[in-house]
Amino acid sequence: MNKRLKLQAGWVFIAPSLFVLMVFFFGPVFLALIMSFSDFDIYSLADIDNLRWIGLDNYFKLVQTPLFWKALGNTFYLAIFGTPLSIAVSLGLAMALNVKNAPFKGFFRIVLFTPYVTTLVAAAAVWHFILDTRSGLLNQGLRLLGLEGLDWLGDPHYSLPAIILFSIWKSFGYNMLILLAALQKIPDELYEAATLDGANAWQRLLHVTLPGIMPSLWMVSLITLAGYFQLFAEPYVMTQGGPAQSTLTLMYFMYNEGFKWWNLGTASATAFVLFIMLLGISVLSPKNEAETKP
Amino acid sequence: MSLLMAAGLGACFKREDGLRIWAMGTEGEKIVPFINAFNHKTTGPKFRSQALPWSAAHEKLLTAFAADNLPDVIALGNTWVSEFAALDALEPLNQYGIDTSNMFEAAVDNATIDGKLLGLPWYVETRLLFYRKDNLARAGFQNPPQTWAEWEAQLAALGKIGGNHKFGAFMPVNEFEPLVAFCLQSQNQILIDNATKGGFQTNGIKETFAFVKSLYDKGYAAILSGAEAPDLYASFGRGEFTFVITGPWNIAEMRKRLPADAQDKWATAPLPGRTGLGASILGGVSLGINKASTQKMAALELIKELTNVSVQAEFSKATADLPSVKPAWALAGLETDAKAHSFYQQLSLAKAAPKAPEWERIANEMAIAMERVVRGIQSLDVALAGLDNFADDILAKRRYMISLKGNAHE
Amino acid sequence: MKKMQFSWFSTAILCFASFLALAPLFWMVSVSFMGPEDTNSLTPPILPSKVTLENYEVLFEQQSMGRYVLNSLIISTCATFLALSFNITAGYAFAKLRFTGKEKLFQGLLMALVIPGQLSMFPLFFMAKNMGLLNSFGGVLIPFMASLFGILMVRQYALSIPNEMLEAARVDGASEYQVFWHIVLPNLTPIMVTLAIFTFLGAWNDFLWPLIVLSDDKFYTLPLALAGLSREHVQDHGLIMAGAMVTIVPVLLIFLILQRQYVRGLLAGSVKG
């Protein structure tokens, strides 16, 4: 009798959110898959009877679209260069915060986390000005140091690095906090033992620190990587995908196909390609962890 | 329970009842007093206007169409009319007996698809040369160029005095209008076969691309994209460049933003062509009525108001846009304005862009291709072949629809 | 001795990093109070030559910023309310209640974490259209009703409620609903605060979905308004910085006041090893 009651209660408790998830999340995802097998475009928008089913054609056409590869390439560039840099910065600062007897730790922690909290669109608008070739803060600073200012957002060679620079500034705080918590869990005795064995700072880093935080390190790396794959707001606000589409990311490409040109068939196909790649990344994650990403 | 709340909240904040008109750019802001005046006069329902930034207008309009949320009166860029015709979003106006005889014929033609008048031309524009007379004089020329060859000679001479992109032409690579304008001057069409295939590898178009490319290669125009170009007005005011190809709104903007001592130093002129003054792209905005509007008569009254001669003249004075109604030019004092006169000339030489719904995408791609060529990422031949492929590909559905329906979507 | 030196070195790094972290924000504040003489000059100064409020005046008088602030407030508050309503019960259920299929269901939800939200965008758009929720706050709020992340966060925290407390209540004859209302809910208050903060900030900062759903600028949220401002008034740096200020300051305030709860949520379930 009791057991049955518990059964019902459990389902009642999860029913609302489960219903919402089914209807507003899983349902649309499934529909998106279906859509990717059609040639939905503005003619279909006018009259749904103009829709044709084309199977995997969207996917075939996608791989033949140069702009798709350009966007993919840009996204890979961001992911490959941005992720290690981002992690290095976060780890370095986490280690600096972890040092014993360091003064004002609480203060630094808050200050360093501030960029992460700011609204992305607002921060991108601010950085758009900072990266301004003529009057931006960054180039002014460079000129003070005797270097020449660079055309950050106007030169296709510097536009992606500029986005990476901004992205690191924006998000290093999050990884830093997680890595800090992980670092704090490493017992002091391990360090003392290593020192007694004659290890220097570098060896302590390699053999005590890194192994100690490996699960968290791995996790934040994957989250950061996945984040770079989904980059959209930064180029949308700062460069509109330019110059010469050097900052067109996969998400931006998908947005353009979908909401600018209304080629929903192509856009859905792109979304699924993105999904497959993220799936691939997640396969690399350690099992049995409840990964949380905000 | 919470679902109900959400739906309730949603209903609370739905779109209002009340008529809407959307307009782009500064016109969207400047139209407000005219709407207010109309609201004051009319006994029918009142209108509210919303301004859309040009950079996002096209996507917002399409999204609104998809959401069944287009406003009652829609200001449409002339190149978008055929697209919205294909969407069957516009109310045909032929039945309402509107007299369009005093409007520029090319503009009326632009808004007529398959014999149906789908919009009233609101204001027209075209692109032509704005230039610094004093720079030209310094280089030894008293008159603006009438042919490509003359223009190149002038740019070369200016380059010698200025050096390093100074004194040349301001042509951001991400704007397709100048490029398209020059292409329209050619004997060959940009899109062939009733706008169902690309014509980019025909001689005329190829030569045009090569000509524009040479302006960048020879340093007459700096390779910039609009977003991070230096302030156009400050630069032009300082005489840092000599030519810019832009539209009529800049007559007022230049007058407003240029320093006083620069005001008599600039002028306008029609575009040079190969053998004499050339065509340009007919642009502008037409006002259409949403086919799904529940207040079509009120919408009709508004667009008739906005196209009557005196309102056209007033609006022109407020925005420096060129009236689509010819008698309004005199009323607005444009007949005597030398700077506006070039536009009247150009408008009689202007040509409409290809009337395919996909045109906007192709035009965008033209600019993108030119940017790649000019930055050395691709050769011209490869880029032109690429454009043909792009156009053929994009127009595939249009070819299919035409073969289905058996008649031209124009 | 070695540790002391290290401390100076690391403190120097932290100072430098803090400077880099804050400099852009400081610049934003400064420029927002600058007039066009400063912002249009070839090298704008670090501090305004003359502090002026005109950017804020233009923002609120001509650009209707006040309305956008209100919109953002309404949406964020409603989203928070929705998230709390839907996710608390589910999180608790997955933590403490037994029911058929619980394990499988939970595993399924975990795997679904990988699915990017953008995948559902297009069909959801048409769904919202058919429900009449496009171009309204309701449409914007849809994604906030239930989130996998929220459920997981609540579950993680709810796991720590001692079973004995629950059992004692059940033995006393309380129904599951009474147990939840009287015992569990008060104990979940800390994580509810955290969830509320996350949802509020997430809704405030949300960009892509509102961009798609809202066509009337009457309904715009701050990020949308700012993006439009930034693309249309590209040269008006002071105005854009002022807009950025208005968007960011509330977020920063919430964070500063409630940082403990915020950080707790971040670290919940993320730290291993």
Side-chain angles (χ1 to χ4, degrees), chain B residues 13 16 50 53 60 66 69, chain C residues 129 135 215-216 219-220 232:
Chain B
F13 299 106
E16 65 190 286
Q50 178 170 330
K60 285 190 73 73
N69 193 33
Chain C
K129 170 180 164 183
N135 201 36
S215 31
D216 260 332
F219 298 128
Y220 273 10
E232 195 60 16

Side-chain angles (χ1 to χ4, degrees), chain A residues 119 134-135 140 174 291 293, chain C residues 42 44 89 113 205 231 266:
Chain A
T119 311
R134 213 165 30 128
S135 42
Q140 282 197 44
Y174 174 74
E291 292 154 56
K293 49 177 204 264
Chain C
L42 282 172
T89 53
L113 270 178
N205 295 342
R231 287 172 72 152
L266 264 192

Side-chain angles (χ1 to χ4, degrees), chain A residues 62 67-68 71 248-257 270:
Chain A
L62 203 58
L67 195 58
F68 168 73
L248 190 75
T249 61
L250 201 56
M251 274 288 319
Y252 202 163
F253 172 82
M254 189 187 90
Y255 173 82
N256 276 345
E257 285 295 317
T270 312

Side-chain angles (χ1 to χ4, degrees), chain A residues 3 16 26 31 39 42 52 73 99 105 116 124 144 163 195 199 220 230 251:
Chain A
K3 231 185 177 160
F26 294 111
L31 283 175
D39 74 342
I42 65 161
R52 290 182 293 179
V99 165
K105 252 194 256 200
Y116 183 76
L144 268 180
I163 301 260
T195 319
V220 297
Q230 297 172 66
M251 274 288 319

Side-chain angles (χ1 to χ4, degrees), chain B residues 12 26 53 93 98 124 174 180 231 239 282 285 394 400:
Chain B
C12 267
T26 45
L93 301 172
I98 307 174
V124 291
N174 62 328
V180 171
D231 185 1
L282 175 83
V285 167
I394 275 205
Y400 167 71

Side-chain angles (χ1 to χ4, degrees), chain A residues 233-270:
Chain A
E234 293 88 332
Y236 183 84
V237 173
M238 298 196 339
T239 56
Q240 283 92 63
Q245 295 132 335
S246 53
T247 58
L248 190 75
T249 61
L250 201 56
M251 274 288 319
Y252 202 163
F253 172 82
M254 189 187 90
Y255 173 82
N256 276 345
E257 285 295 317
F259 287 105
K260 206 167 175 195
W261 309 119
W262 287 89
N263 291 336
L264 292 189
T266 315
S268 301
T270 312

